[in-house]
Amino acid sequence: MTDPSPQSAIQNPKSSAAVPLKVVFVGHVDHGKSTLIGRILHDTDSLPEGKIDMVKKACAAEGMEFEFAFVLDALLEEQKQNVTIDTTQIPFRTARRNYVIIDAPGHKEFLKNMITGASRADAAILVIAANEGVREQSRRHAYLLGLLGIRQILVVVNKMDLANYSEKRFGEIESEYKNFLVDLSLEARAFIPASARQGENVASRSEKIAWYDGPTLLEALDLLEVRKADVDLPLRFCVQDVYRFGERRIVAGRIETGTLRVGDELVFSPANKSSMIASIERWNAPGMGWPSPEIRLESH
Amino acid sequence: MTSTTRTHLDQLENQSIFIFREAYHAFENIAMPWSMGKDSNVLIWLARKSFFGKVPFPVLHIDTTYEFPEMLKFREWATKHYNLNLIVKINTDARERGIGYETHDPVTVTHELKTVALQQVLAEYKWDALITGIRRDEDPTRAKERYFSARNVQFEWDYKDQPPEFWEQFVTSAAKGEHVRVQPLLDWTEVDIWRYIQRENIPIPQMYFAINGKRFLSLGCSPITQPIKSTAATIEEIIAELEATKTTERAGRAQDHHERNAMQKLRAKGFL
């Protein structure tokens, strides 16, 4: 059995074997991040069968209006307060490739959960509600993205339906936020006017926002790239443990940057002692002889 | 060769091994619950990869007494072949009190025979870390988990106030009586698990493969675990089926659907 190479995975974008792009959704509380994610999952047909009906039924039972956000905000407390408390990861797929969506809470009380989610991302979608405009967490989250080293940023100006799909309102937010990002040495790949609740400019192009000729959110997502391993930098190998097998010492750990081969000379920090790599060990399992026919049952 | 050609499975495997080694280094007294299900067997495989062929801590089976016979045969086989230090725990007290699927609802039985059993055995062995095989894509509350996730003395998960976890800095200590759940498979999806079983040729029970037009997606207690209609009799066919279908993996597990947010309630009380 051979594992598909990255090449064959790219030629076959439907394959779930390809490396996914991890994208975190950030922004101020109640600007519609979870709703936007719910909309993407719905419009790309990524939700399990019956999921929407189940959430609708649960909402009706509690006397609440249905929200796409409840698909992700799974905790009872999140649904009752209509706010995301903790970060969630959920896979989805477009025709071009696989994604892992990371939903991050927008309330300042849950900033630690936002960082937890964002630290694993290749790219970020920063959501700003058109009616409220740029707020405290819109700025703070961008600052944290910069700190975490995330350079691929898309800005979605959401809730355009609450701003009458106004080009002027969109332009105000775009120019204010663009200037703010410049101060952080960040640059957004795109500013996208959208309405998650109405499904405008998310998966399909909006007729109500005809003045906008940029990409939809899914089109812009498909242009982003998975973060590559930094193999061209000097070797940084964090030692996790040393395993002793008789006379042998195996240094276990992970390469963070650079490459490593037998014969390379290493400097160990903080003692500044050096040593040479004798071998690179990797354990591979031998064949096990299961399944054995006598254990195979006749029927379920 | 540089590592730039690593596949998605390689990345997942590396991250899981990294977590295993962090846990083994940080905790004194570890155990690994093992259900003999597919994820559980991937977990054992990754443990062996992490520690050069050995599983250096005990493996725990919470036996509900409602196990499928094939699973018990698999337990016997794998314990011998992997040279596992197996601990089997049954909540005999609950069974003697008459707790069972014949008379009680699945949430109650699952709590008693799995979670309470786990509490009992943990009190006995005083493990400070448990390595679990849960995945984010299995359930929306599992989607909010950390790699290292603390449980208090009562086994409660404080999901409303989890600590931050980034740059591979983890919660690597537990107060007396508390423990940390270490979850190396969090990033894996159901399809990833199957591709890895295929690539590595990992032994699993045969109940996952279709016989007479039915197969199991997920294996739990026999009275409350139902097979689905399927003709997938090989791993290739299972992967093809998963890519085409939208049925959820735990659809056949009654305790999840007993009431709204049943999984959240089970998990807050200590269920894996």
Side-chain angles (χ1 to χ4, degrees):
Chain A
M1 226 56 68
T2 56
D3 195 53
S5 69
Q7 265 64 34
S8 69
I10 287 162
Q11 283 156 13
N12 176 17
K14 283 283 178 201
S15 166
S16 56
V19 176
L21 182 105
K22 297 198 198 79
V23 56
V24 65
F25 285 62
V26 298
H28 199 75
V29 64
D30 204 30
H31 281 200
K33 295 178 293 296
S34 297
T35 305
L36 183 57
I37 294 169
R39 167 61 70 181
I40 290 173
L41 295 175
H42 177 263
D43 288 3
T44 55
D45 205 23
S46 303
L47 290 167
E49 201 144 345
K51 179 76 189 182
I52 292 280
D53 282 345
M54 200 178 85
V55 176
K56 275 185 180 160
K57 226 185 273 172
C59 289
E62 301 276 325
M64 296 187 293
E65 202 186 328
F66 169 76
E67 296 274 354
F68 274 119
F70 294 162
V71 172
L72 290 129
D73 290 342
L75 303 174
L76 279 173
E77 291 81 354
E78 292 179 319
Q79 296 178 1
K80 285 209 175 111
Q81 297 162 24
N82 214 344
V83 62
T84 305
I85 294 175
D86 212 332
T87 181
T88 295
Q89 295 194 16
I90 185 164
F92 93 103
R93 218 188 286 178
T94 64
R96 181 163 181 268
R97 72 156 159 239
N98 301 321
Y99 291 88
V100 172
I101 286 182
I102 305 173
D103 186 20
H107 196 287
K108 66 170 187 274
E109 202 183 313
F110 307 126
L111 211 55
K112 63 190 169 61
N113 299 336
M114 175 270 171
I115 293 172
T116 298
S119 70
R120 310 211 76 85
D122 299 299
I125 309 297
L126 208 144
V127 182
I128 300 172
N131 55 337
E132 287 199 9
V134 178
R135 300 290 297 273
E136 184 189 0
Q137 304 308 315
S138 322
R139 298 192 194 92
R140 185 174 284 159
H141 283 186
Y143 173 76
L144 290 168
L145 292 176
L147 192 71
L148 291 166
I150 296 170
R151 291 287 173 272
Q152 303 186 82
I153 299 171
L154 301 174
V155 178
V156 171
V157 179
N158 189 30
K159 304 196 185 185
M160 285 298 290
D161 51 322
L162 299 184
N164 296 317
Y165 300 104
S166 156
E167 182 175 9
K168 182 169 167 286
R169 179 65 183 144
F170 172 76
E172 286 165 7
I173 292 172
E174 183 183 24
S175 91
E176 178 188 350
Y177 203 66
K178 226 177 217 168
N179 287 335
F180 169 73
L181 289 180
V182 168
D183 291 342
L184 299 177
S185 308
L186 293 173
E187 190 186 358
R189 297 279 178 100
F191 279 77
I192 303 161
S195 165
R197 185 162 305 179
Q198 308 301 329
E200 308 288 345
N201 273 351
V202 179
S204 51
R205 188 155 293 279
S206 172
E207 287 173 19
K208 297 191 175 103
I209 314 177
W211 46 262
Y212 170 77
D213 57 7
T216 63
L217 176 56
L218 285 193
E219 286 166 355
L221 270 173
D222 276 346
L223 294 174
L224 302 177
E225 288 150 24
V226 174
R227 248 200 255 194
K228 295 224 166 50
D230 294 318
V231 288
D232 298 328
L233 295 176
L235 175 77
R236 292 290 179 269
F237 182 95
C238 295
V239 175
Q240 282 189 285
D241 212 337
V242 179
Y243 301 135
R244 293 175 168 80
F245 296 111
E247 294 292 297
R248 303 173 69 214
R249 298 282 180 276
I250 295 180
V251 178
R254 187 161 70 177
I255 297 173
E256 299 297 334
T257 60
T259 58
L260 175 156
R261 72 194 71 196
V262 172
D264 282 358
E265 190 168 301
L266 302 179
V267 176
F268 288 80
S269 184
N272 260 352
K273 292 193 172 156
S274 53
S275 187
M276 190 112 84
I277 299 172
S279 69
I280 298 173
E281 304 278 329
R282 194 182 168 84
W283 185 81
N284 282 308
M288 295 303 297
W290 177 272
S292 58
E294 70 270 22
I295 293 175
R296 185 152 190 148
L297 300 187
E298 287 310 307
S299 66
H300 292 318
Chain B
M1 281 293 289
T2 63
S3 61
T4 48
T5 52
R6 283 193 323 196
T7 66
H8 182 42
L9 281 182
D10 292 334
Q11 290 181 7
L12 289 170
E13 182 188 65
N14 283 350
Q15 178 70 2
S16 297
I17 290 173
F18 179 80
I19 289 165
F20 262 111
R21 288 175 174 166
E22 284 292 295
Y24 186 62
H25 181 74
F27 294 100
E28 306 233 315
N29 200 5
I30 300 179
M32 186 161 76
W34 176 46
S35 68
M36 290 90 72
K38 62 184 195 313
D39 305 85
S40 227
N41 290 316
V42 165
L43 208 55
I44 287 203
W45 200 259
L46 290 165
R48 297 168 79 226
K49 284 214 173 189
S50 306
F51 307 111
F52 298 88
K54 289 196 197 77
V55 180
F57 31 71
V59 166
L60 169 70
H61 180 223
I62 301 290
D63 189 334
T64 61
T65 69
Y66 290 97
E67 306 295 326
F68 287 100
E70 189 200 334
M71 301 298 273
L72 294 177
K73 283 185 185 170
F74 186 88
R75 183 176 83 186
E76 193 184 325
W77 178 88
T79 302
K80 186 166 153 258
H81 279 75
Y82 293 150
N83 195 17
L84 301 175
N85 173 9
L86 175 70
I87 295 170
V88 175
K89 172 66 192 176
I90 296 173
N91 183 353
T92 45
D93 166 64
R95 293 295 284 135
E96 279 162 16
R97 281 187 284 120
I99 305 283
Y101 292 109
E102 298 81 2
T103 48
H104 291 72
D105 70 84
V107 169
T108 304
V109 183
T110 305
H111 178 68
E112 286 280 349
L113 298 186
K114 289 191 173 173
T115 308
V116 176
L118 186 60
Q119 283 166 347
Q120 291 168 347
V121 70
L122 202 90
E124 189 182 336
Y125 287 91
K126 302 185 169 46
W127 292 307
D128 52 6
L130 291 178
I131 295 175
T132 86
I134 67 159
R135 308 191 321 264
R136 285 203 183 89
D137 76 327
E138 287 178 291
D139 169 84
T141 65
R142 286 180 177 171
K144 293 181 184 284
E145 275 281 8
R146 303 284 192 260
Y147 292 120
F148 286 62
S149 179
R151 294 295 182 277
N152 69 12
V153 178
Q154 281 79 41
F155 263 41
E156 287 159 339
W157 175 39
D158 190 3
Y159 54 80
K160 281 185 280 180
D161 189 20
Q162 298 196 76
E165 184 176 78
F166 62 103
W167 292 345
E168 313 295 16
Q169 300 301 304
F170 307 113
V171 174
T172 48
S173 65
K176 195 173 185 304
E178 304 190 346
H179 71 278
V180 173
R181 302 267 169 95
V182 179
Q183 334 212 79
L185 298 183
L186 220 45
D187 294 340
W188 298 57
T189 64
E190 187 180 11
V191 165
D192 295 330
I193 292 286
W194 281 111
R195 288 188 193 285
Y196 191 66
I197 289 170
Q198 181 182 46
R199 185 181 96 172
E200 302 281 314
N201 201 14
I202 300 172
I204 54 165
Q206 296 299 297
M207 297 169 70
Y208 289 108
F209 302 105
I211 297 174
N212 301 333
K214 282 182 178 171
R215 73 179 192 88
F216 288 88
L217 291 178
S218 170
L219 291 168
C221 295
S222 59
I224 59 162
T225 305
Q226 300 304 322
I228 56 149
K229 278 188 185 162
S230 168
T231 54
T234 64
I235 295 182
E236 287 87 345
E237 286 168 6
I238 287 174
I239 291 170
E241 187 181 273
L242 285 175
E243 306 250 295
T245 180
K246 292 174 76 188
T247 304
T248 61
E249 183 182 7
R250 293 183 66 88
R253 301 287 288 268
Q255 75 268 30
D256 297 18
H257 313 288
H258 179 65
E259 58 175 334
R260 180 168 178 241
N261 290 73
M263 266 299 264
Q264 179 183 348
K265 288 172 188 170
L266 276 168
R267 300 204 66 241
K269 288 195 289 180
F271 187 74
L272 294 180

